[in-house]
Amino acid sequence: MSAVLPSLPSGFSGEFKGHKKITTPLRRPVEPVGRYFLAHASRTIRGHTWSEYEKTAAEKNVTKVQESDQDDEFEQNQSEELLSHDPRDWKTADLYAVLGLTKYRYRATEDQIRRAHRKAVLKHHPDKKGESGGLDQDGFFKIIQKAYETLLDPVKRRQFDSVDEEADVAAPAAKGKYDFFEAWKPFFDSEARFSNKKPVPELGDINSSQKEVDAFYSFWYNFDSWRSFEFLDEDVPDDTANRDHKRYIERKNVAARKKKKTEDNKRLIELVKRASSEDPRIKLFKEAEKKEKERKKWEREAGSRKAAEEAAAKKAAEEKAKAEAEEQAKNLKESSKKAKEAAKNAKKKNKRVVRNSVKDVNYFGQSDKAEIIDADVDLLIESFDDMKLSSVVSKLNGVTDPEVVKATFIDVAKEIVDAGKLPASSLKFFQN
Amino acid sequence: MSAVIGIAFGNTSSSIAVANVDGKVDVIANPDGDRAISSTLSYVGEDEYHGNQALSQLVRNPDSTIINFRDFVGLSYSEIDAETSNHSALPIDINGQIGYQINDKKITIDEVVKRNLKQVKLAAEDYIGKPIEGVVLTVPTNFTDAQNSSLKKISNDAGLKVLQLISEPSAALLAHLSADEERFQKDKLYVVADFGGIRSDAAVIAVRSGILTVLATAHDLGLGGEKLDDALAEFFAKEFEKKYKSNPRNNRKAMAKLKAACIITKKTLSNVQSSTISIDSLSDGYDFHSTINRLRYELVTRDVLSKMAAFTEIVVKKAGLETIDIDEVLLAGGVSHTPKLASNIQFLFPESTVVIAPSLDTKVIDPSELLCRGAALQASMIETFDDSEIEEAFKPHIVNTQHIQKPIGVRSVDGSFIEILPKETAYPIRKTVLLKGKGDVLIEVYEGDRTVKETTIEPEKQSGDEDDEEEYSDEEPETIREVVYVPGEKLADLALKGANGEVEVILDINKDGKLTVSGRSGDVTVKGSI
């Protein structure tokens, strides 16, 4: 802006003078879109001031620039041997080395290939070589173009990757001594690039679960590979000269491809077999399985043992219970016998009391009739049930007055006769 | 390519876009190759058709073809005018909800929208090659909160996780501004006018330091491209009737055919000066073939086009502004391809106002793709945030901010007002300008007052040639009006001693409205706040 500020009038004192606040603002929603809004939101949320925010934004920008500016991404100096490679035999050259992509190989992205090609062209274009080496120095440039063509076409690139031996990692030598995981991981990682199925399971480590290990080997036993061997085909001549010859070469190529593919599959299966036989985890799993089996067997047997013990214990308990029951029954029998005897004795005693009661009062002073009275008493006693007997006894016990005894007997006799237990005529003395 | 997309879901058509890593936006075509995918569903027998395939069913199966349903999202049957379209399936009442009777089945509006979005999603996934993780949808500014949440829910049901709903005009403007980084830096007032198939929307948006604020919106739910088709169809119907004495207007199928052909003719006329229309067996077995040139077309559709142009003026009035306040008019929507519309609008606005339309500048973004491009850009910007951060950012205390109502600037030595913060700038804000000044200078901060300056340009006297007598009276003096801000009330004075020629003036308003003025020249810095 080119506007000019007025100069300071004389008499202006101080540095700053505020006159008025800004006119009342209006609260409006801003549209929540765009970078600037997001910046505003993040400032408000985090409570940043302007300078803090500008600082963090600036830091972010710097890192971005650094990330994209890597100079040593591609190798610049190809070997002398590669530079003098015959362009007619370009198929035998290492195409990744030609573009300086040996660090990446099959991992190189399309973007990397493009950039590497640009750099290589800048360096090896015949226009740049003309002065130093003459016109026929464009051999390497031709190879660069071929490499670019091949690597940028996904189909051709797969064909080249299939036979790119530099990218292959050899399996560890058989019968050597090595750490299983360290030695085999690079091999499986490199073979994984041929897989049609993604993702490829990892080899894992000693702590991998059996499920993971099983999945890993079943994946490799059923490996679905896109590896093919067209790149090694013998050049097919055009059929202008000899059509039969051309067809013969074609057939030969197909057969050779097939053969190589079979060999490759066989090689892989063999190596996977070897790896699985060497895998310490599989050994561990087998041992664990064996132990588990034993444990299970023991458990199974433990089960039957337990059942036998339980049966024996049950039997013993039953016998004990039976013996106890018998004992109890016996005791019960005995005690009831005793009770019966006691009752019998008591009865006898009571009967004696009743009998003696008349004797004690001297047959009411009528000793002559003693026999008749005794007979009557006997008859009465016979007709008593246990209850009656005991009530009579209680009435007679300790009574010495003959009249009372007599009255008692007469009452009782009456009761008995009224109850119909004795015919009234059978009693001789206690009648009336 | 990221798996977040922007979808502009319109009444007439939907479009999808995705942003690349380098910030470029691709508009995705569906498997039929259409980038503007008709928002149409049609059911024929057991089959469901979508997009332009469904649209072509309007001729044969109009009763099972659903069009123009976007505006019904989240509304109940009582809230709409069910008679809006007379040439497709009519909305019916399903327990208060809007729905359609298709063959023997009833289908609710939610289901219709969901199926439409599912189809759109399929097209996007085909293109990107992986499942869609999130989507930004555009909605008109007059969508209610209930409609917004309803659309969100339907979209989530269709398998599209809604990251954000953004308003259509801001999506369009975002796409326009993002095309060139400098556009964000310039504080301007835009009118975004979106002329769709059956409705027109306009908004006045202030762009201040990259932040967009809508000042006013206007909607016309009857004005759209379909009105142009109707006018054109009516014109051809008349011509046909005159030629063959057969009236196609009585025949629903004939009118559908004629309309479909008119749409193509209309689109062709946006690009070339004349076009043909040809329909086999339009009515009573007569074939129809005719040509029309652009001038005739513009005459036929004059009423509609001038209504549309006037519509942009309405929104400016609603914002309490005049057309001379507007810096740019951005045209969006399919109708914006029409050259006459752009020139009509340019005529309404002063010459200093730039009208952004493909007929005036071939480099501009296709107006029918503006919305989805904006949505895709927004989607790619918020993609890296997680859900809680996004939710936090759209809370009212962040979205609702204070806007200054008068411009703030300084007075230059000749008494004119140098605007630093234009009006409607949202704060907190900080802005720096570089001014000239040597020795001891005074920085006077003023609020600006709006005045209109009128300059009259006398017509150039034509040199006295032989055509003198043919001079017309239209050579009247022309008045050019422009808005000029003059210093109004003084806010502050700041003295800066020992300036070395260049003075950096920084105005900073914090969130409480405190204005801080600082001046810097070389290593001299002074500061003061109100």
Side-chain angles (χ1 to χ4, degrees), chain A residues 30-42, chain B residues 164 210-211 378 393-394 398-399:
Chain A
V30 299
E31 287 296 291
V33 297
R35 230 157 17 84
Y36 293 88
F37 169 76
L38 293 176
H40 159 76
S42 81
Chain B
Q164 193 188 356
I211 293 201
Q378 178 68 10
F394 302 145
I398 290 165
V399 173

Short mmCIF file of all heavy atoms in Angstrom, two decimals, chain A residues 30-42, chain B residues 164 210-211 378 393-394 398-399:
data_model
loop_
_atom_site.label_atom_id
_atom_site.label_comp_id
_atom_site.label_asym_id
_atom_site.label_seq_id
_atom_site.Cartn_x
_atom_site.Cartn_y
_atom_site.Cartn_z
N VAL A 30 -20.18 -17.70 11.74
CA VAL A 30 -19.34 -17.77 10.55
C VAL A 30 -19.59 -19.14 9.93
O VAL A 30 -20.04 -20.06 10.59
CB VAL A 30 -17.84 -17.58 10.86
CG1 VAL A 30 -17.61 -16.23 11.48
CG2 VAL A 30 -17.32 -18.68 11.73
N GLU A 31 -19.28 -19.28 8.66
CA GLU A 31 -19.50 -20.55 7.98
C GLU A 31 -18.37 -21.51 8.37
O GLU A 31 -17.19 -21.16 8.22
CB GLU A 31 -19.50 -20.37 6.46
CG GLU A 31 -20.74 -19.70 5.96
CD GLU A 31 -21.98 -20.53 6.21
OE1 GLU A 31 -22.12 -21.58 5.58
OE2 GLU A 31 -22.80 -20.14 7.05
N PRO A 32 -18.71 -22.68 8.91
CA PRO A 32 -17.64 -23.58 9.38
C PRO A 32 -16.97 -24.32 8.22
O PRO A 32 -16.95 -25.53 8.19
CB PRO A 32 -18.38 -24.52 10.31
CG PRO A 32 -19.76 -24.56 9.79
CD PRO A 32 -20.03 -23.23 9.16
N VAL A 33 -16.41 -23.60 7.27
CA VAL A 33 -15.74 -24.26 6.15
C VAL A 33 -14.39 -23.60 5.91
O VAL A 33 -14.19 -22.45 6.26
CB VAL A 33 -16.57 -24.20 4.85
CG1 VAL A 33 -17.88 -24.92 5.00
CG2 VAL A 33 -16.83 -22.77 4.44
N GLY A 34 -13.54 -24.37 5.31
CA GLY A 34 -12.27 -23.81 4.84
C GLY A 34 -11.17 -23.87 5.87
O GLY A 34 -11.37 -24.09 7.05
N ARG A 35 -9.95 -23.73 5.35
CA ARG A 35 -8.75 -23.81 6.15
C ARG A 35 -8.75 -22.75 7.25
O ARG A 35 -8.37 -22.98 8.38
CB ARG A 35 -7.57 -23.54 5.24
CG ARG A 35 -6.50 -24.53 5.32
CD ARG A 35 -5.62 -24.60 4.09
NE ARG A 35 -5.63 -23.53 3.13
CZ ARG A 35 -4.91 -22.41 3.24
NH1 ARG A 35 -4.19 -22.19 4.30
NH2 ARG A 35 -4.93 -21.52 2.27
N TYR A 36 -9.17 -21.54 6.86
CA TYR A 36 -9.06 -20.42 7.79
C TYR A 36 -10.02 -20.59 8.95
O TYR A 36 -9.73 -20.20 10.06
CB TYR A 36 -9.30 -19.10 7.05
CG TYR A 36 -8.20 -18.82 6.07
CD1 TYR A 36 -8.25 -19.29 4.77
CD2 TYR A 36 -7.07 -18.12 6.48
CE1 TYR A 36 -7.22 -19.06 3.89
CE2 TYR A 36 -6.03 -17.88 5.61
CZ TYR A 36 -6.11 -18.35 4.30
OH TYR A 36 -5.09 -18.13 3.44
N PHE A 37 -11.16 -21.22 8.67
CA PHE A 37 -12.06 -21.48 9.79
C PHE A 37 -11.45 -22.50 10.73
O PHE A 37 -11.49 -22.35 11.95
CB PHE A 37 -13.42 -21.99 9.30
CG PHE A 37 -14.26 -22.51 10.43
CD1 PHE A 37 -14.89 -21.63 11.29
CD2 PHE A 37 -14.34 -23.87 10.70
CE1 PHE A 37 -15.61 -22.09 12.37
CE2 PHE A 37 -15.05 -24.33 11.79
CZ PHE A 37 -15.69 -23.43 12.62
N LEU A 38 -10.86 -23.56 10.18
CA LEU A 38 -10.27 -24.59 11.02
C LEU A 38 -9.16 -24.00 11.87
O LEU A 38 -8.99 -24.35 13.04
CB LEU A 38 -9.76 -25.75 10.16
CG LEU A 38 -10.85 -26.55 9.45
CD1 LEU A 38 -10.24 -27.60 8.55
CD2 LEU A 38 -11.78 -27.21 10.45
N ALA A 39 -8.41 -23.08 11.26
CA ALA A 39 -7.36 -22.41 12.02
C ALA A 39 -7.98 -21.61 13.15
O ALA A 39 -7.50 -21.66 14.30
CB ALA A 39 -6.57 -21.50 11.09
N HIS A 40 -9.06 -20.90 12.82
CA HIS A 40 -9.75 -20.11 13.83
C HIS A 40 -10.25 -21.01 14.96
O HIS A 40 -10.09 -20.71 16.15
CB HIS A 40 -10.93 -19.38 13.16
CG HIS A 40 -12.01 -18.94 14.10
ND1 HIS A 40 -11.87 -17.85 14.91
CD2 HIS A 40 -13.23 -19.46 14.35
CE1 HIS A 40 -12.97 -17.71 15.63
NE2 HIS A 40 -13.81 -18.67 15.31
N ALA A 41 -10.83 -22.17 14.57
CA ALA A 41 -11.37 -23.09 15.57
C ALA A 41 -10.25 -23.62 16.46
O ALA A 41 -10.38 -23.66 17.68
CB ALA A 41 -12.10 -24.23 14.89
N SER A 42 -9.13 -23.99 15.86
CA SER A 42 -8.07 -24.58 16.67
C SER A 42 -7.47 -23.52 17.59
O SER A 42 -7.10 -23.81 18.72
CB SER A 42 -7.01 -25.25 15.79
OG SER A 42 -6.12 -24.29 15.31
N GLN B 164 -19.70 -33.72 8.26
CA GLN B 164 -20.20 -32.37 8.44
C GLN B 164 -21.25 -32.08 7.37
O GLN B 164 -21.17 -32.58 6.25
CB GLN B 164 -19.04 -31.38 8.30
CG GLN B 164 -19.38 -29.99 8.77
CD GLN B 164 -18.30 -28.98 8.44
OE1 GLN B 164 -17.25 -29.34 7.92
NE2 GLN B 164 -18.55 -27.74 8.75
N GLY B 210 -10.13 -14.90 4.99
CA GLY B 210 -10.36 -16.32 4.76
C GLY B 210 -11.56 -16.88 5.48
O GLY B 210 -11.90 -18.03 5.30
N ILE B 211 -12.18 -16.06 6.33
CA ILE B 211 -13.34 -16.56 7.07
C ILE B 211 -14.61 -16.07 6.39
O ILE B 211 -14.72 -14.90 6.01
CB ILE B 211 -13.26 -16.11 8.54
CG1 ILE B 211 -12.08 -16.84 9.14
CG2 ILE B 211 -14.57 -16.35 9.28
CD1 ILE B 211 -12.07 -16.97 10.61
N GLN B 378 -13.66 -29.60 1.82
CA GLN B 378 -13.91 -29.54 3.25
C GLN B 378 -13.69 -30.93 3.87
O GLN B 378 -13.10 -31.05 4.94
CB GLN B 378 -15.34 -29.05 3.48
CG GLN B 378 -15.75 -28.98 4.93
CD GLN B 378 -15.02 -27.90 5.69
OE1 GLN B 378 -14.32 -27.08 5.10
NE2 GLN B 378 -15.13 -27.90 7.00
N ALA B 393 -15.14 -28.36 17.18
CA ALA B 393 -14.90 -27.20 16.32
C ALA B 393 -16.20 -26.56 15.84
O ALA B 393 -16.22 -25.39 15.50
CB ALA B 393 -14.06 -27.60 15.13
N PHE B 394 -17.30 -27.33 15.79
CA PHE B 394 -18.53 -26.77 15.26
C PHE B 394 -19.48 -26.32 16.36
O PHE B 394 -20.65 -26.08 16.13
CB PHE B 394 -19.23 -27.78 14.34
CG PHE B 394 -18.36 -28.21 13.21
CD1 PHE B 394 -18.41 -29.49 12.71
CD2 PHE B 394 -17.45 -27.31 12.66
CE1 PHE B 394 -17.57 -29.87 11.67
CE2 PHE B 394 -16.62 -27.70 11.63
CZ PHE B 394 -16.68 -28.97 11.14
N ILE B 398 -17.70 -21.37 19.11
CA ILE B 398 -16.63 -21.15 18.14
C ILE B 398 -17.19 -20.58 16.83
O ILE B 398 -16.61 -19.69 16.22
CB ILE B 398 -15.86 -22.46 17.90
CG1 ILE B 398 -15.07 -22.77 19.15
CG2 ILE B 398 -14.94 -22.35 16.70
CD1 ILE B 398 -14.57 -24.14 19.24
N VAL B 399 -18.36 -21.12 16.46
CA VAL B 399 -18.94 -20.68 15.19
C VAL B 399 -19.50 -19.26 15.30
O VAL B 399 -19.33 -18.45 14.40
CB VAL B 399 -20.03 -21.68 14.75
CG1 VAL B 399 -20.74 -21.16 13.53
CG2 VAL B 399 -19.41 -23.03 14.46
#
